[in-house]
PDB file of all heavy atoms in Angstrom:
ATOM      1  N   LEU A   1      -5.604  -0.902  -0.736  1.00  0.00           N
ATOM      2  CA  LEU A   1      -4.997  -2.030  -1.537  1.00  0.00           C
ATOM      3  C   LEU A   1      -4.683  -3.256  -0.609  1.00  0.00           C
ATOM      4  O   LEU A   1      -4.119  -3.086   0.379  1.00  0.00           O
ATOM      5  CB  LEU A   1      -3.652  -1.613  -2.164  1.00  0.00           C
ATOM      6  CG  LEU A   1      -3.668  -0.790  -3.482  1.00  0.00           C
ATOM      7  CD1 LEU A   1      -4.363   0.587  -3.213  1.00  0.00           C
ATOM      8  CD2 LEU A   1      -2.371  -0.592  -4.121  1.00  0.00           C
ATOM      9  N   LEU A   2      -5.082  -4.348  -1.044  1.00  0.00           N
ATOM     10  CA  LEU A   2      -4.848  -5.646  -0.378  1.00  0.00           C
ATOM     11  C   LEU A   2      -3.623  -6.305  -0.873  1.00  0.00           C
ATOM     12  O   LEU A   2      -3.366  -6.336  -2.135  1.00  0.00           O
ATOM     13  CB  LEU A   2      -5.933  -6.570  -0.531  1.00  0.00           C
ATOM     14  CG  LEU A   2      -7.368  -6.052  -0.119  1.00  0.00           C
ATOM     15  CD1 LEU A   2      -8.429  -7.151  -0.213  1.00  0.00           C
ATOM     16  CD2 LEU A   2      -7.275  -5.509   1.272  1.00  0.00           C
ATOM     17  N   LEU A   3      -2.760  -6.660   0.092  1.00  0.00           N
ATOM     18  CA  LEU A   3      -1.435  -7.171  -0.303  1.00  0.00           C
ATOM     19  C   LEU A   3      -1.259  -8.594   0.421  1.00  0.00           C
ATOM     20  O   LEU A   3      -1.911  -8.843   1.381  1.00  0.00           O
ATOM     21  CB  LEU A   3      -0.247  -6.371   0.112  1.00  0.00           C
ATOM     22  CG  LEU A   3      -0.268  -4.802  -0.431  1.00  0.00           C
ATOM     23  CD1 LEU A   3       0.943  -4.102   0.230  1.00  0.00           C
ATOM     24  CD2 LEU A   3      -0.244  -4.810  -1.904  1.00  0.00           C
ATOM     25  N   ASP A   4      -0.407  -9.422  -0.205  1.00  0.00           N
ATOM     26  CA  ASP A   4       0.037 -10.752   0.498  1.00  0.00           C
ATOM     27  C   ASP A   4       0.785 -10.479   1.618  1.00  0.00           C
ATOM     28  O   ASP A   4       0.759 -11.231   2.682  1.00  0.00           O
ATOM     29  CB  ASP A   4       0.513 -11.631  -0.574  1.00  0.00           C
ATOM     30  CG  ASP A   4      -0.247 -12.107  -1.636  1.00  0.00           C
ATOM     31  OD1 ASP A   4      -1.554 -12.232  -1.431  1.00  0.00           O
ATOM     32  OD2 ASP A   4       0.104 -12.421  -2.781  1.00  0.00           O
ATOM     33  N   ALA A   5       1.693  -9.478   1.649  1.00  0.00           N
ATOM     34  CA  ALA A   5       2.604  -9.122   2.687  1.00  0.00           C
ATOM     35  C   ALA A   5       3.066  -7.806   2.503  1.00  0.00           C
ATOM     36  O   ALA A   5       3.138  -7.159   1.438  1.00  0.00           O
ATOM     37  CB  ALA A   5       3.732 -10.097   2.745  1.00  0.00           C
ATOM     38  N   LEU A   6       3.507  -7.056   3.549  1.00  0.00           N
ATOM     39  CA  LEU A   6       4.056  -5.694   3.484  1.00  0.00           C
ATOM     40  C   LEU A   6       5.488  -5.797   3.264  1.00  0.00           C
ATOM     41  O   LEU A   6       6.171  -6.789   3.854  1.00  0.00           O
ATOM     42  CB  LEU A   6       3.844  -4.950   4.770  1.00  0.00           C
ATOM     43  CG  LEU A   6       2.284  -4.657   5.244  1.00  0.00           C
ATOM     44  CD1 LEU A   6       2.340  -4.010   6.520  1.00  0.00           C
ATOM     45  CD2 LEU A   6       1.704  -3.807   4.142  1.00  0.00           C
ATOM     46  N   PRO A   7       6.058  -5.017   2.378  1.00  0.00           N
ATOM     47  CA  PRO A   7       7.567  -5.167   2.174  1.00  0.00           C
ATOM     48  C   PRO A   7       8.298  -4.716   3.420  1.00  0.00           C
ATOM     49  O   PRO A   7       7.871  -3.670   4.191  1.00  0.00           O
ATOM     50  CB  PRO A   7       7.788  -4.056   1.064  1.00  0.00           C
ATOM     51  CG  PRO A   7       6.684  -3.249   1.059  1.00  0.00           C
ATOM     52  CD  PRO A   7       5.479  -3.959   1.535  1.00  0.00           C
ATOM     53  N   ARG A   8       9.424  -5.292   3.711  1.00  0.00           N
ATOM     54  CA  ARG A   8      10.231  -5.047   4.930  1.00  0.00           C
ATOM     55  C   ARG A   8      11.708  -4.718   4.639  1.00  0.00           C
ATOM     56  O   ARG A   8      12.165  -5.107   3.543  1.00  0.00           O
ATOM     57  CB  ARG A   8      10.243  -6.302   5.840  1.00  0.00           C
ATOM     58  CG  ARG A   8       8.810  -6.823   6.182  1.00  0.00           C
ATOM     59  CD  ARG A   8       8.282  -5.977   7.355  1.00  0.00           C
ATOM     60  NE  ARG A   8       6.998  -6.429   7.669  1.00  0.00           N
ATOM     61  CZ  ARG A   8       6.197  -5.863   8.845  1.00  0.00           C
ATOM     62  NH1 ARG A   8       6.850  -4.952   9.453  1.00  0.00           N
ATOM     63  NH2 ARG A   8       4.931  -6.287   9.019  1.00  0.00           N
ATOM     64  N   THR A   9      12.237  -3.825   5.476  1.00  0.00           N
ATOM     65  CA  THR A   9      13.637  -3.589   5.441  1.00  0.00           C
ATOM     66  C   THR A   9      14.401  -4.706   6.063  1.00  0.00           C
ATOM     67  O   THR A   9      13.815  -5.553   6.770  1.00  0.00           O
ATOM     68  CB  THR A   9      13.919  -2.278   6.117  1.00  0.00           C
ATOM     69  OG1 THR A   9      13.577  -2.393   7.543  1.00  0.00           O
ATOM     70  CG2 THR A   9      13.094  -1.169   5.506  1.00  0.00           C
ATOM     71  N   PRO A  10      15.713  -4.696   5.951  1.00  0.00           N
ATOM     72  CA  PRO A  10      16.520  -5.839   6.512  1.00  0.00           C
ATOM     73  C   PRO A  10      16.329  -5.806   8.099  1.00  0.00           C
ATOM     74  O   PRO A  10      16.443  -6.972   8.695  1.00  0.00           O
ATOM     75  CB  PRO A  10      17.916  -5.449   6.153  1.00  0.00           C
ATOM     76  CG  PRO A  10      17.794  -4.754   4.871  1.00  0.00           C
ATOM     77  CD  PRO A  10      16.551  -3.844   5.049  1.00  0.00           C
ATOM     78  N   SER A  11      15.929  -4.637   8.668  1.00  0.00           N
ATOM     79  CA  SER A  11      15.695  -4.640  10.191  1.00  0.00           C
ATOM     80  C   SER A  11      14.329  -5.147  10.586  1.00  0.00           C
ATOM     81  O   SER A  11      14.035  -5.295  11.751  1.00  0.00           O
ATOM     82  CB  SER A  11      16.024  -3.274  10.727  1.00  0.00           C
ATOM     83  OG  SER A  11      15.079  -2.340  10.172  1.00  0.00           O
ATOM     84  N   GLY A  12      13.531  -5.309   9.530  1.00  0.00           N
ATOM     85  CA  GLY A  12      12.174  -5.865   9.826  1.00  0.00           C
ATOM     86  C   GLY A  12      11.053  -4.880   9.829  1.00  0.00           C
ATOM     87  O   GLY A  12       9.920  -5.087   9.957  1.00  0.00           O
ATOM     88  N   LYS A  13      11.388  -3.443   9.670  1.00  0.00           N
ATOM     89  CA  LYS A  13      10.407  -2.496   9.631  1.00  0.00           C
ATOM     90  C   LYS A  13       9.705  -2.356   8.274  1.00  0.00           C
ATOM     91  O   LYS A  13      10.429  -2.845   7.188  1.00  0.00           O
ATOM     92  CB  LYS A  13      11.026  -1.125   9.969  1.00  0.00           C
ATOM     93  CG  LYS A  13      11.548  -1.108  11.458  1.00  0.00           C
ATOM     94  CD  LYS A  13      11.940   0.262  11.842  1.00  0.00           C
ATOM     95  CE  LYS A  13      12.351   0.351  13.336  1.00  0.00           C
ATOM     96  NZ  LYS A  13      12.851   1.740  13.795  1.00  0.00           N
ATOM     97  N   VAL A  14       8.574  -1.879   8.180  1.00  0.00           N
ATOM     98  CA  VAL A  14       7.874  -1.679   6.946  1.00  0.00           C
ATOM     99  C   VAL A  14       8.704  -0.798   6.074  1.00  0.00           C
ATOM    100  O   VAL A  14       9.016   0.357   6.374  1.00  0.00           O
ATOM    101  CB  VAL A  14       6.448  -1.209   7.112  1.00  0.00           C
ATOM    102  CG1 VAL A  14       5.723  -0.910   5.765  1.00  0.00           C
ATOM    103  CG2 VAL A  14       5.685  -2.150   8.040  1.00  0.00           C
ATOM    104  N   ASP A  15       8.902  -1.254   4.923  1.00  0.00           N
ATOM    105  CA  ASP A  15       9.523  -0.393   3.756  1.00  0.00           C
ATOM    106  C   ASP A  15       8.508   0.333   3.054  1.00  0.00           C
ATOM    107  O   ASP A  15       7.986  -0.132   2.010  1.00  0.00           O
ATOM    108  CB  ASP A  15      10.372  -1.254   2.859  1.00  0.00           C
ATOM    109  CG  ASP A  15      11.311  -0.346   1.966  1.00  0.00           C
ATOM    110  OD1 ASP A  15      11.154   0.760   1.967  1.00  0.00           O
ATOM    111  OD2 ASP A  15      12.047  -0.970   1.132  1.00  0.00           O
ATOM    112  N   ARG A  16       8.197   1.625   3.435  1.00  0.00           N
ATOM    113  CA  ARG A  16       7.159   2.336   2.797  1.00  0.00           C
ATOM    114  C   ARG A  16       7.429   2.743   1.374  1.00  0.00           C
ATOM    115  O   ARG A  16       6.460   2.841   0.554  1.00  0.00           O
ATOM    116  CB  ARG A  16       6.756   3.577   3.653  1.00  0.00           C
ATOM    117  CG  ARG A  16       6.216   3.180   5.018  1.00  0.00           C
ATOM    118  CD  ARG A  16       6.180   4.498   5.903  1.00  0.00           C
ATOM    119  NE  ARG A  16       5.666   4.049   7.313  1.00  0.00           N
ATOM    120  CZ  ARG A  16       4.401   4.046   7.811  1.00  0.00           C
ATOM    121  NH1 ARG A  16       3.474   4.465   7.010  1.00  0.00           N
ATOM    122  NH2 ARG A  16       4.253   3.626   9.068  1.00  0.00           N
ATOM    123  N   ARG A  17       8.620   2.977   1.024  1.00  0.00           N
ATOM    124  CA  ARG A  17       9.049   3.310  -0.285  1.00  0.00           C
ATOM    125  C   ARG A  17       8.754   2.098  -1.373  1.00  0.00           C
ATOM    126  O   ARG A  17       8.730   2.403  -2.511  1.00  0.00           O
ATOM    127  CB  ARG A  17      10.475   3.736  -0.325  1.00  0.00           C
ATOM    128  CG  ARG A  17      10.644   5.136   0.431  1.00  0.00           C
ATOM    129  CD  ARG A  17      12.158   5.586   0.389  1.00  0.00           C
ATOM    130  NE  ARG A  17      13.015   4.577   1.086  1.00  0.00           N
ATOM    131  CZ  ARG A  17      14.293   4.700   1.262  1.00  0.00           C
ATOM    132  NH1 ARG A  17      14.932   5.684   0.762  1.00  0.00           N
ATOM    133  NH2 ARG A  17      15.002   3.707   1.924  1.00  0.00           N
ATOM    134  N   ALA A  18       8.794   0.943  -0.771  1.00  0.00           N
ATOM    135  CA  ALA A  18       8.635  -0.141  -1.603  1.00  0.00           C
ATOM    136  C   ALA A  18       7.132  -0.573  -1.856  1.00  0.00           C
ATOM    137  O   ALA A  18       6.801  -1.514  -2.558  1.00  0.00           O
ATOM    138  CB  ALA A  18       9.371  -1.377  -1.133  1.00  0.00           C
ATOM    139  N   LEU A  19       6.199   0.113  -1.246  1.00  0.00           N
ATOM    140  CA  LEU A  19       4.813  -0.147  -1.442  1.00  0.00           C
ATOM    141  C   LEU A  19       4.396   0.126  -2.913  1.00  0.00           C
ATOM    142  O   LEU A  19       4.903   1.197  -3.429  1.00  0.00           O
ATOM    143  CB  LEU A  19       4.018   0.679  -0.439  1.00  0.00           C
ATOM    144  CG  LEU A  19       4.073   0.205   0.990  1.00  0.00           C
ATOM    145  CD1 LEU A  19       3.472   1.186   1.951  1.00  0.00           C
ATOM    146  CD2 LEU A  19       3.423  -1.097   1.256  1.00  0.00           C
ATOM    147  N   PRO A  20       3.482  -0.561  -3.537  1.00  0.00           N
ATOM    148  CA  PRO A  20       3.130  -0.303  -4.803  1.00  0.00           C
ATOM    149  C   PRO A  20       2.245   1.022  -4.920  1.00  0.00           C
ATOM    150  O   PRO A  20       1.583   1.299  -3.983  1.00  0.00           O
ATOM    151  CB  PRO A  20       2.278  -1.608  -5.227  1.00  0.00           C
ATOM    152  CG  PRO A  20       1.723  -2.153  -3.825  1.00  0.00           C
ATOM    153  CD  PRO A  20       2.784  -1.866  -2.896  1.00  0.00           C
ATOM    154  N   ALA A  21       2.447   1.674  -6.069  1.00  0.00           N
ATOM    155  CA  ALA A  21       1.667   2.993  -6.240  1.00  0.00           C
ATOM    156  C   ALA A  21       0.147   2.554  -6.476  1.00  0.00           C
ATOM    157  O   ALA A  21      -0.195   1.685  -7.107  1.00  0.00           O
ATOM    158  CB  ALA A  21       2.146   3.684  -7.487  1.00  0.00           C
ATOM    159  N   PRO A  22      -0.742   3.353  -5.830  1.00  0.00           N
ATOM    160  CA  PRO A  22      -2.065   3.185  -6.021  1.00  0.00           C
ATOM    161  C   PRO A  22      -2.595   3.628  -7.281  1.00  0.00           C
ATOM    162  O   PRO A  22      -1.888   4.336  -8.051  1.00  0.00           O
ATOM    163  CB  PRO A  22      -2.769   4.099  -4.880  1.00  0.00           C
ATOM    164  CG  PRO A  22      -1.670   5.167  -4.690  1.00  0.00           C
ATOM    165  CD  PRO A  22      -0.449   4.438  -4.981  1.00  0.00           C
ATOM    166  N   ASP A  23      -3.745   3.125  -7.719  1.00  0.00           N
ATOM    167  CA  ASP A  23      -4.345   3.593  -9.049  1.00  0.00           C
ATOM    168  C   ASP A  23      -4.545   5.177  -8.832  1.00  0.00           C
ATOM    169  O   ASP A  23      -5.000   5.616  -7.851  1.00  0.00           O
ATOM    170  CB  ASP A  23      -5.663   2.948  -9.315  1.00  0.00           C
ATOM    171  CG  ASP A  23      -5.345   1.361  -9.509  1.00  0.00           C
ATOM    172  OD1 ASP A  23      -4.314   1.157 -10.000  1.00  0.00           O
ATOM    173  OD2 ASP A  23      -6.293   0.613  -9.196  1.00  0.00           O
ATOM    174  N   GLU A  24      -4.481   5.860  -9.973  1.00  0.00           N
ATOM    175  CA  GLU A  24      -4.723   7.268  -9.916  1.00  0.00           C
ATOM    176  C   GLU A  24      -6.147   7.663  -9.598  1.00  0.00           C
ATOM    177  O   GLU A  24      -6.547   8.631  -9.152  1.00  0.00           O
ATOM    178  CB  GLU A  24      -4.300   7.753 -11.352  1.00  0.00           C
ATOM    179  CG  GLU A  24      -2.766   7.875 -11.576  1.00  0.00           C
ATOM    180  CD  GLU A  24      -2.332   8.847 -10.391  1.00  0.00           C
ATOM    181  OE1 GLU A  24      -2.826   9.890 -10.170  1.00  0.00           O
ATOM    182  OE2 GLU A  24      -1.187   8.445  -9.930  1.00  0.00           O
ATOM    183  N   ALA A  25      -7.150   6.600 -10.102  1.00  0.00           N
ATOM    184  CA  ALA A  25      -8.578   6.964  -9.791  1.00  0.00           C
ATOM    185  C   ALA A  25      -8.927   6.387  -8.411  1.00  0.00           C
ATOM    186  O   ALA A  25      -8.990   5.133  -8.224  1.00  0.00           O
ATOM    187  CB  ALA A  25      -9.315   6.305 -10.832  1.00  0.00           C
ATOM    188  N   PHE A  26      -9.187   7.263  -7.430  1.00  0.00           N
ATOM    189  CA  PHE A  26      -9.619   6.673  -6.140  1.00  0.00           C
ATOM    190  C   PHE A  26     -11.036   6.501  -6.355  1.00  0.00           C
ATOM    191  O   PHE A  26     -11.765   7.383  -6.746  1.00  0.00           O
ATOM    192  CB  PHE A  26      -9.135   7.918  -5.126  1.00  0.00           C
ATOM    193  CG  PHE A  26      -7.779   7.908  -4.731  1.00  0.00           C
ATOM    194  CD1 PHE A  26      -6.868   8.573  -5.464  1.00  0.00           C
ATOM    195  CD2 PHE A  26      -7.472   7.281  -3.506  1.00  0.00           C
ATOM    196  CE1 PHE A  26      -5.532   8.509  -5.113  1.00  0.00           C
ATOM    197  CE2 PHE A  26      -6.153   7.329  -3.101  1.00  0.00           C
ATOM    198  CZ  PHE A  26      -5.156   7.904  -3.976  1.00  0.00           C
ATOM    199  N   GLN A  27     -11.460   5.426  -5.679  1.00  0.00           N
ATOM    200  CA  GLN A  27     -12.844   5.079  -5.717  1.00  0.00           C
ATOM    201  C   GLN A  27     -13.590   5.494  -4.422  1.00  0.00           C
ATOM    202  O   GLN A  27     -12.979   5.212  -3.251  1.00  0.00           O
ATOM    203  CB  GLN A  27     -12.992   3.572  -5.986  1.00  0.00           C
ATOM    204  CG  GLN A  27     -12.474   3.109  -7.350  1.00  0.00           C
ATOM    205  CD  GLN A  27     -13.117   3.801  -8.491  1.00  0.00           C
ATOM    206  OE1 GLN A  27     -14.310   4.146  -8.421  1.00  0.00           O
ATOM    207  NE2 GLN A  27     -12.383   4.204  -9.562  1.00  0.00           N
ATOM    208  N   PRO A  28     -14.660   6.145  -4.409  1.00  0.00           N
ATOM    209  CA  PRO A  28     -15.401   6.431  -3.144  1.00  0.00           C
ATOM    210  C   PRO A  28     -15.955   5.156  -2.529  1.00  0.00           C
ATOM    211  O   PRO A  28     -16.101   4.150  -3.058  1.00  0.00           O
ATOM    212  CB  PRO A  28     -16.530   7.349  -3.692  1.00  0.00           C
ATOM    213  CG  PRO A  28     -16.766   6.934  -5.107  1.00  0.00           C
ATOM    214  CD  PRO A  28     -15.389   6.570  -5.565  1.00  0.00           C
ATOM    215  N   ILE A  29     -16.194   5.248  -1.232  1.00  0.00           N
ATOM    216  CA  ILE A  29     -16.772   4.119  -0.469  1.00  0.00           C
ATOM    217  C   ILE A  29     -18.166   3.780  -0.988  1.00  0.00           C
ATOM    218  O   ILE A  29     -18.423   2.643  -1.070  1.00  0.00           O
ATOM    219  CB  ILE A  29     -16.798   4.481   1.020  1.00  0.00           C
ATOM    220  CG1 ILE A  29     -15.394   4.676   1.527  1.00  0.00           C
ATOM    221  CG2 ILE A  29     -17.342   3.365   1.839  1.00  0.00           C
ATOM    222  CD1 ILE A  29     -15.282   5.038   3.003  1.00  0.00           C
ATOM    223  N   GLN A  30     -18.981   4.770  -1.185  1.00  0.00           N
ATOM    224  CA  GLN A  30     -20.296   4.625  -1.690  1.00  0.00           C
ATOM    225  C   GLN A  30     -20.287   4.059  -3.107  1.00  0.00           C
ATOM    226  O   GLN A  30     -19.415   4.399  -3.970  1.00  0.00           O
ATOM    227  CB  GLN A  30     -21.168   5.832  -1.609  1.00  0.00           C
ATOM    228  CG  GLN A  30     -21.428   6.294  -0.175  1.00  0.00           C
ATOM    229  CD  GLN A  30     -20.236   7.261   0.216  1.00  0.00           C
ATOM    230  OE1 GLN A  30     -19.289   7.523  -0.388  1.00  0.00           O
ATOM    231  NE2 GLN A  30     -20.385   7.878   1.437  1.00  0.00           N
ATOM    232  N   HIS A  31     -21.223   3.271  -3.514  1.00  0.00           N
ATOM    233  CA  HIS A  31     -21.401   2.792  -4.789  1.00  0.00           C
ATOM    234  C   HIS A  31     -21.930   3.938  -5.679  1.00  0.00           C
ATOM    235  O   HIS A  31     -22.684   4.801  -5.133  1.00  0.00           O
ATOM    236  CB  HIS A  31     -22.368   1.645  -4.963  1.00  0.00           C
ATOM    237  CG  HIS A  31     -21.687   0.309  -4.231  1.00  0.00           C
ATOM    238  ND1 HIS A  31     -20.647  -0.292  -4.810  1.00  0.00           N
ATOM    239  CD2 HIS A  31     -21.964  -0.338  -3.147  1.00  0.00           C
ATOM    240  CE1 HIS A  31     -20.356  -1.395  -3.960  1.00  0.00           C
ATOM    241  NE2 HIS A  31     -21.046  -1.408  -3.184  1.00  0.00           N
TER     242      HIS A  31
END
């Protein structure tokens, strides 16, 4: 998933719990 910015905690670390949920259908690399 491409994002404009990673969500951060007040201390500046990446807030992994605030990341958006991915689509349920994972797409393979190959077409």
Side-chain angles (χ1 to χ4, degrees):
L1 277 69
L2 302 182
L3 305 176
D4 292 331
L6 296 176
R8 301 278 178 177
T9 64
S11 64
K13 295 187 177 182
V14 176
D15 188 354
R16 296 172 184 265
R17 292 178 297 180
L19 290 167
D23 295 333
E24 286 299 318
F26 283 79
Q27 298 299 323
I29 297 176
Q30 295 89 354
H31 293 291

